[in-house]
Amino acid sequence: MIRAIVVDDEPLAQNVIKQFAKDIPELEIVCCCNNALEANSLLKDEHADLMFLDVNMPRLSGLDFLKNLTNPPLVILTTAYADYAMEGYELNILDYLKKPFSFERFYKAVQKAEEQLLLMAAQYHEDNNPDYIYIKANKKAIRVEFKSITYIEGLGDYIKVHLKDKHLVTNLSMKKMEELLPAAEFFRTHKSYIIRLDQIQSIEGNQLEINGQKLPIGNNFRHDFQELINKHIIK
């Protein structure tokens, strides 16, 4: 769940974001603030992953507020003016929504936030050497230990995570999933497959077998995979 706050002095603008958010299950609007000072007080006590921040507000503009935040959440700027885009990106904002914006454009910005938060979580995991990951499936975050994964299969905009006794389908790209997995334990053998190395049962030609399933080895991945496997072959 992405915890977000809205900082905007226009009630109509706040309502648009709240209504859009109702159609995105993974997004929760925890509070709406009418100005930057109110948001500053809120962030001292409340955790927020994401902030929808208007630029033109009384007393303190959104950009000036952002410049003075020491540990800001991810920020999506919302404004009726395009003039602030460059300055906003210099402040490392995630996205820029020009009012009035459509639901489709709003959803795209939220997806960017979700991907960025996953990358941040992956970095945290890497720094703390965890042995598990949380996968969003069936409207909840499910803890999955790395050792229980046999292989991952790409399905367009989704991936299927194959476990020893079941599978989970989640809205994530293969590239993002590859970044979340420990490189010492997993290897991408095909554009549509990432395998857990210690689950390989056999290799023959351009195929390998895991849990009774024959999986392809792509031409673009074969050389690196063979080099890795050769280190463990007894001749």
Side-chain angles (χ1 to χ4, degrees), residues 104-127:
E104 288 77 15
R105 183 65 184 85
F106 178 81
Y107 182 56
K108 183 178 180 180
V110 172
Q111 284 185 309
K112 282 187 182 180
E114 186 174 16
E115 289 182 355
Q116 185 64 33
L117 288 168
L118 282 170
L119 287 175
M120 291 164 64
Q123 184 61 53
Y124 175 82
H125 284 178
E126 184 177 330
D127 293 344

mmCIF file of all heavy atoms in Angstrom, residues 104-127:
data_model
loop_
_atom_site.group_PDB
_atom_site.id
_atom_site.type_symbol
_atom_site.label_atom_id
_atom_site.label_comp_id
_atom_site.label_asym_id
_atom_site.label_seq_id
_atom_site.Cartn_x
_atom_site.Cartn_y
_atom_site.Cartn_z
ATOM 1 N N GLU A 104 -5.959 8.402 -16.538
ATOM 2 C CA GLU A 104 -4.883 7.603 -17.138
ATOM 3 C C GLU A 104 -3.510 8.193 -16.819
ATOM 4 O O GLU A 104 -2.569 7.466 -16.480
ATOM 5 C CB GLU A 104 -5.076 7.525 -18.656
ATOM 6 C CG GLU A 104 -6.240 6.649 -19.100
ATOM 7 C CD GLU A 104 -7.596 7.317 -18.912
ATOM 8 O OE1 GLU A 104 -7.624 8.561 -18.702
ATOM 9 O OE2 GLU A 104 -8.615 6.609 -18.969
ATOM 10 N N ARG A 105 -3.401 9.526 -16.920
ATOM 11 C CA ARG A 105 -2.113 10.176 -16.615
ATOM 12 C C ARG A 105 -1.798 10.078 -15.127
ATOM 13 O O ARG A 105 -0.639 9.883 -14.736
ATOM 14 C CB ARG A 105 -2.188 11.643 -17.048
ATOM 15 C CG ARG A 105 -0.882 12.393 -16.855
ATOM 16 C CD ARG A 105 0.227 11.850 -17.738
ATOM 17 N NE ARG A 105 1.489 12.522 -17.472
ATOM 18 C CZ ARG A 105 2.331 12.161 -16.513
ATOM 19 N NH1 ARG A 105 2.050 11.104 -15.742
ATOM 20 N NH2 ARG A 105 3.456 12.808 -16.336
ATOM 21 N N PHE A 106 -2.817 10.208 -14.306
ATOM 22 C CA PHE A 106 -2.642 10.078 -12.863
ATOM 23 C C PHE A 106 -2.163 8.668 -12.510
ATOM 24 O O PHE A 106 -1.231 8.482 -11.714
ATOM 25 C CB PHE A 106 -3.975 10.379 -12.170
ATOM 26 C CG PHE A 106 -3.955 10.229 -10.677
ATOM 27 C CD1 PHE A 106 -3.457 11.235 -9.868
ATOM 28 C CD2 PHE A 106 -4.449 9.079 -10.075
ATOM 29 C CE1 PHE A 106 -3.447 11.105 -8.483
ATOM 30 C CE2 PHE A 106 -4.441 8.939 -8.698
ATOM 31 C CZ PHE A 106 -3.941 9.952 -7.901
ATOM 32 N N TYR A 107 -2.793 7.670 -13.123
ATOM 33 C CA TYR A 107 -2.450 6.275 -12.841
ATOM 34 C C TYR A 107 -1.011 5.976 -13.256
ATOM 35 O O TYR A 107 -0.287 5.260 -12.555
ATOM 36 C CB TYR A 107 -3.424 5.351 -13.570
ATOM 37 C CG TYR A 107 -3.181 3.878 -13.303
ATOM 38 C CD1 TYR A 107 -3.177 3.377 -12.003
ATOM 39 C CD2 TYR A 107 -2.962 2.989 -14.358
ATOM 40 C CE1 TYR A 107 -2.967 2.037 -11.761
ATOM 41 C CE2 TYR A 107 -2.741 1.644 -14.112
ATOM 42 C CZ TYR A 107 -2.747 1.172 -12.818
ATOM 43 O OH TYR A 107 -2.534 -0.158 -12.574
ATOM 44 N N LYS A 108 -0.590 6.532 -14.381
ATOM 45 C CA LYS A 108 0.784 6.343 -14.843
ATOM 46 C C LYS A 108 1.775 6.897 -13.821
ATOM 47 O O LYS A 108 2.817 6.281 -13.551
ATOM 48 C CB LYS A 108 0.981 7.023 -16.193
ATOM 49 C CG LYS A 108 2.366 6.815 -16.796
ATOM 50 C CD LYS A 108 2.470 7.476 -18.165
ATOM 51 C CE LYS A 108 3.851 7.269 -18.777
ATOM 52 N NZ LYS A 108 3.954 7.920 -20.112
ATOM 53 N N ALA A 109 1.463 8.046 -13.236
ATOM 54 C CA ALA A 109 2.339 8.647 -12.221
ATOM 55 C C ALA A 109 2.395 7.776 -10.969
ATOM 56 O O ALA A 109 3.461 7.603 -10.364
ATOM 57 C CB ALA A 109 1.843 10.052 -11.873
ATOM 58 N N VAL A 110 1.260 7.216 -10.585
ATOM 59 C CA VAL A 110 1.218 6.340 -9.401
ATOM 60 C C VAL A 110 2.037 5.077 -9.656
ATOM 61 O O VAL A 110 2.731 4.579 -8.761
ATOM 62 C CB VAL A 110 -0.233 5.988 -9.034
ATOM 63 C CG1 VAL A 110 -0.272 4.933 -7.927
ATOM 64 C CG2 VAL A 110 -0.980 7.246 -8.593
ATOM 65 N N GLN A 111 1.974 4.556 -10.879
ATOM 66 C CA GLN A 111 2.777 3.382 -11.218
ATOM 67 C C GLN A 111 4.268 3.679 -11.109
ATOM 68 O O GLN A 111 5.054 2.833 -10.665
ATOM 69 C CB GLN A 111 2.441 2.907 -12.632
ATOM 70 C CG GLN A 111 1.117 2.167 -12.735
ATOM 71 C CD GLN A 111 0.884 1.615 -14.125
ATOM 72 O OE1 GLN A 111 0.992 2.337 -15.112
ATOM 73 N NE2 GLN A 111 0.580 0.336 -14.210
ATOM 74 N N LYS A 112 4.673 4.891 -11.499
ATOM 75 C CA LYS A 112 6.070 5.297 -11.337
ATOM 76 C C LYS A 112 6.463 5.261 -9.857
ATOM 77 O O LYS A 112 7.558 4.816 -9.506
ATOM 78 C CB LYS A 112 6.283 6.714 -11.878
ATOM 79 C CG LYS A 112 6.393 6.821 -13.373
ATOM 80 C CD LYS A 112 6.766 8.251 -13.747
ATOM 81 C CE LYS A 112 6.854 8.445 -15.248
ATOM 82 N NZ LYS A 112 7.223 9.846 -15.593
ATOM 83 N N ALA A 113 5.559 5.751 -9.024
ATOM 84 C CA ALA A 113 5.829 5.763 -7.590
ATOM 85 C C ALA A 113 5.968 4.345 -7.057
ATOM 86 O O ALA A 113 6.860 4.045 -6.252
ATOM 87 C CB ALA A 113 4.713 6.505 -6.857
ATOM 88 N N GLU A 114 5.087 3.466 -7.514
ATOM 89 C CA GLU A 114 5.136 2.082 -7.051
ATOM 90 C C GLU A 114 6.452 1.419 -7.444
ATOM 91 O O GLU A 114 7.082 0.722 -6.639
ATOM 92 C CB GLU A 114 3.953 1.304 -7.623
ATOM 93 C CG GLU A 114 3.835 -0.107 -7.078
ATOM 94 C CD GLU A 114 2.571 -0.795 -7.542
ATOM 95 O OE1 GLU A 114 1.939 -0.316 -8.502
ATOM 96 O OE2 GLU A 114 2.214 -1.821 -6.946
ATOM 97 N N GLU A 115 6.884 1.647 -8.682
ATOM 98 C CA GLU A 115 8.141 1.069 -9.140
ATOM 99 C C GLU A 115 9.323 1.614 -8.352
ATOM 100 O O GLU A 115 10.239 0.876 -7.984
ATOM 101 C CB GLU A 115 8.335 1.350 -10.633
ATOM 102 C CG GLU A 115 7.387 0.564 -11.531
ATOM 103 C CD GLU A 115 7.642 0.821 -13.004
ATOM 104 O OE1 GLU A 115 8.497 1.682 -13.313
ATOM 105 O OE2 GLU A 115 7.001 0.168 -13.842
ATOM 106 N N GLN A 116 9.307 2.920 -8.080
ATOM 107 C CA GLN A 116 10.397 3.525 -7.332
ATOM 108 C C GLN A 116 10.449 2.994 -5.904
ATOM 109 O O GLN A 116 11.530 2.729 -5.368
ATOM 110 C CB GLN A 116 10.247 5.047 -7.321
ATOM 111 C CG GLN A 116 11.400 5.788 -6.661
ATOM 112 C CD GLN A 116 12.710 5.596 -7.395
ATOM 113 O OE1 GLN A 116 12.745 5.457 -8.604
ATOM 114 N NE2 GLN A 116 13.806 5.591 -6.654
ATOM 115 N N LEU A 117 9.298 2.815 -5.294
ATOM 116 C CA LEU A 117 9.250 2.288 -3.927
ATOM 117 C C LEU A 117 9.741 0.850 -3.879
ATOM 118 O O LEU A 117 10.399 0.440 -2.918
ATOM 119 C CB LEU A 117 7.820 2.387 -3.376
ATOM 120 C CG LEU A 117 7.357 3.810 -3.051
ATOM 121 C CD1 LEU A 117 5.850 3.841 -2.809
ATOM 122 C CD2 LEU A 117 8.101 4.352 -1.830
ATOM 123 N N LEU A 118 9.444 0.078 -4.920
ATOM 124 C CA LEU A 118 9.954 -1.291 -4.986
ATOM 125 C C LEU A 118 11.474 -1.304 -5.092
ATOM 126 O O LEU A 118 12.149 -2.117 -4.452
ATOM 127 C CB LEU A 118 9.338 -2.026 -6.180
ATOM 128 C CG LEU A 118 7.910 -2.538 -5.989
ATOM 129 C CD1 LEU A 118 7.338 -3.016 -7.321
ATOM 130 C CD2 LEU A 118 7.874 -3.668 -4.970
ATOM 131 N N LEU A 119 12.017 -0.390 -5.895
ATOM 132 C CA LEU A 119 13.473 -0.298 -6.018
ATOM 133 C C LEU A 119 14.114 0.113 -4.693
ATOM 134 O O LEU A 119 15.169 -0.395 -4.319
ATOM 135 C CB LEU A 119 13.849 0.692 -7.118
ATOM 136 C CG LEU A 119 13.608 0.240 -8.556
ATOM 137 C CD1 LEU A 119 13.907 1.378 -9.521
ATOM 138 C CD2 LEU A 119 14.458 -0.974 -8.890
ATOM 139 N N MET A 120 13.466 1.033 -4.007
ATOM 140 C CA MET A 120 13.980 1.462 -2.707
ATOM 141 C C MET A 120 13.939 0.312 -1.707
ATOM 142 O O MET A 120 14.857 0.131 -0.903
ATOM 143 C CB MET A 120 13.164 2.656 -2.202
ATOM 144 C CG MET A 120 13.396 3.928 -3.005
ATOM 145 S SD MET A 120 12.133 5.209 -2.727
ATOM 146 C CE MET A 120 12.387 5.568 -0.995
ATOM 147 N N ALA A 121 12.871 -0.471 -1.772
ATOM 148 C CA ALA A 121 12.757 -1.639 -0.893
ATOM 149 C C ALA A 121 13.829 -2.660 -1.228
ATOM 150 O O ALA A 121 14.412 -3.288 -0.335
ATOM 151 C CB ALA A 121 11.371 -2.257 -1.030
ATOM 152 N N ALA A 122 14.106 -2.815 -2.534
ATOM 153 C CA ALA A 122 15.136 -3.763 -2.950
ATOM 154 C C ALA A 122 16.499 -3.343 -2.423
ATOM 155 O O ALA A 122 17.293 -4.178 -1.977
ATOM 156 C CB ALA A 122 15.168 -3.847 -4.475
ATOM 157 N N GLN A 123 16.779 -2.033 -2.475
ATOM 158 C CA GLN A 123 18.044 -1.535 -1.959
ATOM 159 C C GLN A 123 18.151 -1.763 -0.458
ATOM 160 O O GLN A 123 19.200 -2.149 0.057
ATOM 161 C CB GLN A 123 18.191 -0.041 -2.268
ATOM 162 C CG GLN A 123 19.527 0.553 -1.840
ATOM 163 C CD GLN A 123 20.687 -0.099 -2.550
ATOM 164 O OE1 GLN A 123 20.718 -0.170 -3.768
ATOM 165 N NE2 GLN A 123 21.646 -0.589 -1.783
ATOM 166 N N TYR A 124 17.032 -1.548 0.242
ATOM 167 C CA TYR A 124 17.007 -1.799 1.686
ATOM 168 C C TYR A 124 17.278 -3.275 1.954
ATOM 169 O O TYR A 124 18.049 -3.634 2.844
ATOM 170 C CB TYR A 124 15.658 -1.394 2.271
ATOM 171 C CG TYR A 124 15.511 -1.739 3.732
ATOM 172 C CD1 TYR A 124 16.035 -0.919 4.721
ATOM 173 C CD2 TYR A 124 14.858 -2.911 4.129
ATOM 174 C CE1 TYR A 124 15.925 -1.240 6.055
ATOM 175 C CE2 TYR A 124 14.737 -3.248 5.456
ATOM 176 C CZ TYR A 124 15.273 -2.399 6.424
ATOM 177 O OH TYR A 124 15.163 -2.742 7.739
ATOM 178 N N HIS A 125 16.644 -4.132 1.163
ATOM 179 C CA HIS A 125 16.845 -5.575 1.327
ATOM 180 C C HIS A 125 18.306 -5.938 1.096
ATOM 181 O O HIS A 125 18.885 -6.720 1.825
ATOM 182 C CB HIS A 125 15.966 -6.332 0.333
ATOM 183 C CG HIS A 125 14.528 -6.366 0.736
ATOM 184 N ND1 HIS A 125 13.561 -6.952 -0.029
ATOM 185 C CD2 HIS A 125 13.887 -5.878 1.821
ATOM 186 C CE1 HIS A 125 12.385 -6.838 0.563
ATOM 187 N NE2 HIS A 125 12.568 -6.177 1.678
ATOM 188 N N GLU A 126 18.879 -5.359 0.033
ATOM 189 C CA GLU A 126 20.270 -5.665 -0.293
ATOM 190 C C GLU A 126 21.195 -5.245 0.842
ATOM 191 O O GLU A 126 22.133 -5.962 1.200
ATOM 192 C CB GLU A 126 20.651 -4.953 -1.582
ATOM 193 C CG GLU A 126 22.050 -5.267 -2.068
ATOM 194 C CD GLU A 126 22.366 -4.589 -3.379
ATOM 195 O OE1 GLU A 126 21.440 -4.363 -4.180
ATOM 196 O OE2 GLU A 126 23.554 -4.276 -3.591
ATOM 197 N N ASP A 127 20.936 -4.081 1.401
ATOM 198 C CA ASP A 127 21.780 -3.574 2.479
ATOM 199 C C ASP A 127 21.639 -4.393 3.752
ATOM 200 O O ASP A 127 22.546 -4.449 4.575
ATOM 201 C CB ASP A 127 21.439 -2.112 2.783
ATOM 202 C CG ASP A 127 21.812 -1.185 1.638
ATOM 203 O OD1 ASP A 127 22.597 -1.611 0.766
ATOM 204 O OD2 ASP A 127 21.303 -0.054 1.600
#
